[in-house]
Amino acid sequence: MAKNLVIVESPAKAKTIEGFLGKDFVVKSSFGHVRDLSEKGLSVKIDDNFQPIYEISPDKKKVIEELKKNVQKADIVWLASDEDREGEAIAWHLYETLNLSKKDTRRIVFNEITPKAIQKAIESPRQIDMDLVMAQQARRILDRLVGYEVSPLLWKKVKPNLSAGRVQSVAVRLIVERERERAATPVESWFRLSAVFRNSQGKKFRAEVEEKIPDEAQASRLMESLSERIAAFPEKSASQGAGQGFTVETLEVKPARRSPAPPFTTSTLQQEASRRLGFSVTRTMRLAQQLYEEGKITYMRTDSVNLSEDALQAAETFVRSAFGEKYHRRRQFTTRTKGAQEAHEAIRPTDITVRQVEGDPALRRLYQLIWQRTVACQMADAELEKTRVVIGAPGFEKKFIARGEAIRFDGFLKVYEEAREEEDNEDSGDDSTPDQALPLLQTGDPLQLESALARQRFSSLPPRYTEASLVRKLEELGIGRPSTYAPTINTIQQRGYVEKKDSEGVERPYVAIELKEGHLRRQERIEITGAEKGKLFPTDMGILVTDFLMQNFPRIMDYGFTAEVEKEFDIIAEGRLEWTRMLDAFYRPFHDTVLATEKNSQKVKGRRLLGTDPKTGQNVYALIGRFGPVVQIGDGDHNEKPRFAPLKKDWRLESVTLEQALSLFELPKILGTHEGQEVAVGLGRFGPFVRWGGKFISMPRGSDPHTCTLEQAIELIRAKADSEASRVIKEFEGSPLRILRGRFGPYITDGKNNFKIPKTVSDPSALSLNEVQALAAEASERPAKSVRRRSKK
């Protein structure tokens, strides 16, 4: 019989740890939290100092029973849940639920699941840290109070079945405000002038005029001036030192250094995995948890960039061995995050010499990213040489600038380079010439102008958030902690307040004035603007709820206040603030606001008057209907029912125009005829459809019935007919009865009702009409199973 029982949160973690301990230890899993606030009511005794009412989760009762049996067999119980606040709370709930005693219970924590770390933890146990437990409990109770009191208000004042959360609502506010910021930002245009030059050795390079050229008139004048120079000296080569007059006026060469980024925290891992691997924050955390539980990386919920002395020494040995002494530089980074939590390590491999791990491709890629970042942070700076060349000509009013960069020593770049955040360069707002490999140049060198381009550019809109950049923003504001980022972003999408989606963009014309091979020409070209991938868009309901909360609960929606609450949780965890005092200070004014809002606020209609319908003179509104955003014509006066049409998915209540709204009522629209019957398209409760001969054929998800052609509709009709034909086993002339193939086997249908064919019928196609009628009649007489009710005892 094992003398020691070790309890962890997950089976995978238990399996890994059990392999490190001897026969005197048995390792069991609690499968996460075993106890939580009861689902029955508020479950917080507000008048009794906010005492919580806990209950064992229904799906954990068997787990607790099994653990109790194991406790009875053990001399010592080791609670080995994670070392953060959630883990400490799990340990405490296990202690309480299993009725453990202090003298027979040990609390152990470790940052990595390795033999050395586990042994060290066993040798230095401690008691449960009740300050950490109370910090977690305070967060849980506060979030229950906010959700329990605000959500019913949303049901009454906005729409049934809505919910609110303290951190989630603030995250939605960020996304809503960014969308409005985009709508309010005017798009400005200017011209950028660039050119290709050739030196005396025939080597070409690109340069540009750095200042913006405000309009087309000035751009045209500059291009005409360049054209005249080429026309005057068409055959002159740069080596002859005269002609067009362009020369290298100044040349600056400066050394530069680039340093590696710190090792990963939870936030930076989520951001880099999103940029480089395209992972959602939820997927990143799921994979990181798997790597941790398999003993491959250190604990994955951390806001520390610190590395242990053992890790630093291991990295030094590896870098010197793999790349040479000059590539190593010992670095110890300092955490600067607002409200950084317990002193964990950064996320790193447990064994730096392991470059790859087994597993699915996504797991291997995430591990490689963590390995590269960790190794790189202990490597030398990259040494660069940056060159800036100023090019001018007598009589030409602008200067061209060429920039170059050369790597003299790659340093950490040999292993890893941090990905650039694409959203910082949306559309064409930041279009400066990238660094290039410049040919050998000297001051005074003559240059030949090969070609030039003046291109219209446009200012960028503020970028929409990705999951990763929203995490970064929350971290900057001090809102949330490593354990809450992924759940927060997941929750706001599940609640329908935010959508993660791609945008194909729209066409935008722009002007390009090109000088090539001595010819100057103006062109109007087309570019795609606004194309985005994996961005967060607020839904109309998200906007409506945010506005209601901002109007009535400005305090809990305030970024600074939300960050201050997070700091108070940190102070509770440090033992410097009583958790009940913190909750009391929050709840009293909050509850007063709830009561005042319930009494004084009006029901939110979420309705915009767009104008009047020119055909009927009735008002046209955009509003939230029972099944989502709709447009309404008419007020329901004079016993005339209003007409409704669902809003297109990429339209918003705030921005839809009268013209757009009226276009929705063009449906159903007749497209023509097919086989003598009318073909029409429409938009119903379940989406767009094609109507033909009394049949309704659903259009593919995302289809726009307004742009559907007759040919496309006929293609859908034929595809539906082919699909139905493949289901037909037998038809009977002069009878509506048919035998069809179904999801659960062959069945009989009369077009309205379906009748099951008994399994004793081996070949349904051999059935006669009389036999089919008999089976249908017999099935009709049987009582339906669905109406049976179990009597209460």
Side-chain angles (χ1 to χ4, degrees):
M1 183 179 72
K3 296 179 181 179
N4 298 276
L5 171 64
V6 180
I7 305 177
V8 297
E9 304 100 316
S10 76
K13 186 175 175 183
K15 184 179 178 181
T16 305
I17 292 174
E18 196 162 38
F20 302 149
L21 298 172
K23 61 182 180 179
D24 289 337
F25 287 82
V26 63
V27 185
K28 295 293 180 180
S29 168
S30 69
F31 296 87
H33 279 277
V34 296
R35 197 170 69 157
D36 197 4
L37 293 175
S38 173
E39 293 298 324
K40 299 172 185 175
L42 178 61
S43 297
V44 177
K45 298 178 181 178
I46 295 170
D47 295 330
D48 188 14
N49 235 1
F50 299 94
Q51 291 305 307
I53 301 171
Y54 288 116
E55 68 174 9
I56 298 171
S57 306
D59 60 332
K60 297 297 172 65
K61 288 182 179 179
K62 286 186 178 179
V63 173
I64 291 298
E65 288 175 11
E66 190 64 31
L67 288 174
K68 282 183 176 179
K69 292 176 184 177
N70 283 277
V71 167
Q72 291 173 358
K73 300 174 186 177
D75 294 335
I76 298 178
V77 177
W78 305 79
L79 300 176
S81 48
D82 291 339
E83 61 175 333
D84 58 8
R85 296 173 196 169
E86 289 295 323
E88 206 70 22
I90 289 173
W92 178 68
H93 284 296
L94 284 168
Y95 180 87
E96 294 283 312
T97 307
L98 298 175
N99 299 316
L100 301 178
S101 64
K102 270 191 178 183
K103 69 182 183 66
D104 299 327
T105 305
R106 309 286 187 271
R107 171 74 173 119
I108 56 172
V109 294
F110 35 83
N111 187 50
E112 58 187 2
I113 304 175
T114 60
K116 182 178 178 180
I118 301 301
Q119 188 57 43
K120 184 178 178 182
I122 293 288
E123 292 170 359
S124 53
R126 61 170 173 79
Q127 296 297 316
I128 293 172
D129 188 331
M130 291 307 297
D131 292 330
L132 295 182
V133 173
M134 292 302 107
Q136 188 274 345
Q137 180 169 270
R139 175 190 289 278
R140 185 72 187 91
I141 292 174
L142 189 88
D143 289 345
R144 172 62 69 92
L145 291 170
V146 171
Y148 193 82
E149 298 212 359
V150 176
S151 295
L153 266 182
L154 293 178
W155 302 350
K156 293 178 185 177
K157 304 293 185 178
V158 183
K159 191 182 176 186
N161 299 321
L162 295 177
S163 59
R166 184 180 55 85
V167 176
Q168 295 94 319
S169 298
V170 174
V172 176
R173 178 191 169 189
L174 281 168
I175 295 165
V176 170
E177 288 184 342
R178 177 57 56 88
E179 199 68 21
R180 286 176 169 161
E181 186 184 356
R182 288 171 60 87
T185 302
V187 177
E188 300 174 350
S189 78
W190 68 89
F191 281 77
R192 179 76 74 194
L193 178 56
S194 61
V196 175
F197 291 94
R198 176 165 49 87
N199 72 351
S200 55
Q201 285 76 44
K203 302 289 186 183
K204 297 179 182 179
F205 62 96
R206 188 168 179 259
E208 70 176 19
V209 174
E210 291 194 330
E211 62 261 40
K212 296 175 180 178
I213 297 162
D215 52 45
E216 185 180 348
Q218 291 190 46
S220 295
R221 182 168 52 80
L222 290 168
M223 291 297 288
E224 286 168 4
S225 175
L226 293 175
S227 179
E228 289 168 4
R229 286 175 179 272
I230 289 182
F233 305 97
E235 304 298 331
K236 205 73 175 176
S237 70
S239 60
Q240 291 174 282
Q244 298 171 354
F246 285 104
T247 61
V248 175
E249 293 188 350
T250 62
L251 187 149
E252 294 179 78
V253 180
K254 292 182 177 179
R257 305 178 78 87
R258 194 182 302 172
S259 299
F264 283 129
T265 62
T266 301
S267 166
T268 55
L269 177 63
Q270 289 169 345
Q271 292 168 44
E272 190 73 347
S274 173
R275 287 190 291 255
R276 194 178 285 266
L277 306 179
F279 291 174
S280 68
V281 294
T282 301
R283 187 183 188 192
T284 297
M285 293 312 293
R286 186 176 66 249
L287 292 169
Q289 175 122 8
Q290 185 177 342
L291 288 169
Y292 167 68
E293 291 177 347
E294 292 176 359
K296 302 298 192 301
I297 64 170
T298 52
Y299 191 54
M300 67 287 162
R301 294 188 185 94
T302 176
D303 40 25
S304 171
V305 291
N306 178 57
L307 292 176
S308 68
E309 184 61 33
D310 287 349
L312 292 171
Q313 290 178 3
E316 179 176 352
T317 301
F318 177 80
V319 171
R320 287 173 180 266
S321 172
F323 307 112
E325 188 174 342
K326 67 177 180 177
Y327 277 92
H328 176 258
R329 178 179 169 185
R330 183 186 177 96
R331 302 173 192 269
Q332 185 61 280
F333 296 90
T334 304
T335 302
R336 293 187 177 89
T337 305
K338 277 187 184 180
Q341 219 179 117
E342 291 77 48
H344 300 154
E345 261 195 276
I347 302 170
R348 61 166 176 82
T350 55
D351 185 349
I352 204 72
T353 63
V354 177
R355 298 192 183 209
Q356 295 182 340
V357 296
E358 297 294 324
D360 64 65
L363 196 74
R364 295 200 302 266
R365 292 172 70 198
L366 187 67
Y367 177 83
Q368 186 179 39
L369 189 67
I370 295 167
W371 182 89
Q372 289 173 328
R373 178 89 159 216
T374 306
V375 172
C377 83
Q378 295 302 307
M379 294 178 70
D381 288 350
E383 296 175 9
L384 313 173
E385 185 177 84
K386 288 185 173 288
T387 305
R388 182 176 184 270
V389 181
V390 179
I391 301 163
F396 188 71
E397 61 187 271
K398 301 292 183 183
K399 304 293 184 186
F400 286 95
I401 308 296
R403 297 181 183 276
E405 180 179 282
I407 297 175
R408 298 305 177 201
F409 173 62
D410 55 1
F412 77 93
L413 295 176
K414 197 174 196 70
V415 172
Y416 174 83
E417 184 171 8
E418 192 173 17
R420 184 184 180 191
E421 181 66 76
E422 290 181 7
E423 66 170 25
D424 293 339
N425 184 22
E426 185 179 284
D427 293 339
S428 56
D430 178 11
D431 62 328
S432 55
T433 304
D435 290 337
Q436 59 192 308
L438 291 172
L440 188 63
L441 297 169
Q442 292 183 351
T443 303
D445 279 357
L447 300 171
Q448 186 79 5
L449 177 66
E450 288 282 309
S451 62
L453 175 68
R455 187 197 190 282
Q456 188 178 16
R457 295 290 186 179
F458 300 88
S459 57
S460 298
L461 297 177
R464 290 186 175 97
Y465 288 106
T466 61
E467 288 189 352
S469 61
L470 181 59
V471 167
R472 184 177 64 191
K473 186 65 177 178
L474 291 170
E475 187 178 41
E476 285 175 3
L477 294 171
I479 297 170
R481 289 296 180 261
S483 61
T484 65
Y485 298 137
T488 296
I489 290 172
N490 191 44
T491 299
I492 62 178
Q493 293 178 66
Q494 287 183 339
R495 288 181 175 172
Y497 295 152
V498 171
E499 291 178 322
K500 179 182 176 181
K501 59 183 182 179
D502 302 339
S503 174
E504 294 180 358
V506 295
E507 292 186 344
R508 176 172 66 189
Y510 70 93
V511 174
I513 307 169
E514 188 175 36
L515 176 59
K516 194 172 184 180
E517 296 177 351
H519 300 289
L520 186 65
R521 61 176 182 171
R522 179 189 182 276
Q523 292 180 305
E524 289 192 5
R525 301 175 181 174
I526 298 294
E527 66 181 357
I528 301 296
T529 180
E532 298 177 300
K533 189 173 182 180
K535 294 297 183 73
L536 298 176
F537 292 72
T539 63
D540 286 316
M541 188 54 69
I543 293 170
L544 211 61
V545 169
T546 297
D547 287 345
F548 176 82
L549 294 176
M550 284 295 295
Q551 182 178 354
N552 296 288
F553 296 92
R555 188 163 176 252
I556 68 168
M557 293 291 284
D558 181 73
Y559 300 134
F561 175 74
T562 307
E564 196 61 38
V565 170
E566 294 290 350
K567 287 181 183 176
E568 289 183 338
F569 291 143
D570 296 339
I571 297 171
I572 293 170
E574 293 165 4
R576 297 189 290 117
L577 175 64
E578 179 64 36
W579 68 276
T580 53
R581 286 182 57 194
M582 178 264 183
L583 286 177
D584 189 67
F586 173 91
Y587 180 75
R588 302 304 171 188
F590 165 72
H591 183 64
D592 290 343
T593 303
V594 170
L595 296 177
T597 302
E598 187 171 21
K599 181 181 178 181
N600 302 322
S601 68
Q602 300 296 314
K603 185 172 176 61
V604 176
K605 295 182 179 179
R607 189 170 78 167
R608 276 182 65 221
L609 176 64
L610 304 180
T612 56
D613 177 15
K615 293 181 180 178
T616 63
Q618 293 180 312
N619 287 334
V620 181
Y621 302 97
L623 68 153
I624 295 285
R626 183 180 176 187
F627 300 108
V630 296
V631 172
Q632 173 184 326
I633 295 181
D635 294 291
D637 300 333
H638 312 297
N639 297 321
E640 187 176 349
K641 289 185 178 181
R643 290 185 291 151
F644 297 92
L647 220 59
K648 286 188 179 183
K649 285 191 175 181
D650 55 344
W651 290 2
R652 290 283 170 263
L653 288 180
E654 284 192 324
S655 57
V656 64
T657 64
L658 177 63
E659 183 182 5
Q660 289 174 322
L662 293 174
S663 73
L664 298 173
F665 293 91
E666 295 171 359
L667 301 175
K669 181 170 67 174
I670 297 170
L671 302 179
T673 59
H674 173 59
E675 296 180 355
Q677 292 184 311
E678 185 179 88
V679 178
V681 290
L683 192 61
R685 175 180 168 186
F686 301 108
F689 61 84
V690 174
R691 187 185 69 213
W692 175 70
K695 293 183 178 180
F696 292 83
I697 298 109
S698 295
M699 297 176 70
R701 183 177 293 180
S703 299
D704 184 354
H706 294 87
T707 60
C708 182
T709 64
L710 178 61
E711 290 74 19
Q712 291 171 327
I714 291 173
E715 192 176 324
L716 289 171
I717 293 167
R718 287 173 176 164
K720 180 70 172 178
D722 290 343
S723 173
E724 288 188 349
S726 67
R727 294 174 58 214
V728 176
I729 295 175
K730 193 170 186 176
E731 295 181 307
F732 301 94
E733 189 174 345
S735 172
L737 291 171
R738 295 191 298 167
I739 304 174
L740 302 179
R741 290 184 182 85
R743 181 178 173 189
F744 303 106
Y747 66 96
I748 299 165
T749 182
D750 61 5
K752 294 181 179 178
N753 302 301
N754 298 333
F755 312 100
K756 188 176 180 181
I757 296 176
K759 292 181 180 179
T760 54
V761 178
S762 58
D763 184 6
S765 65
L767 292 170
S768 67
L769 177 59
N770 289 337
E771 289 172 322
V772 167
Q773 289 172 333
L775 287 171
E778 185 182 344
S780 298
E781 292 172 2
R782 287 196 212 108
K785 289 184 179 179
S786 59
V787 299
R788 289 184 186 171
R789 290 180 182 173
R790 184 178 295 174
S791 60
K792 292 182 181 179
K793 293 183 179 180

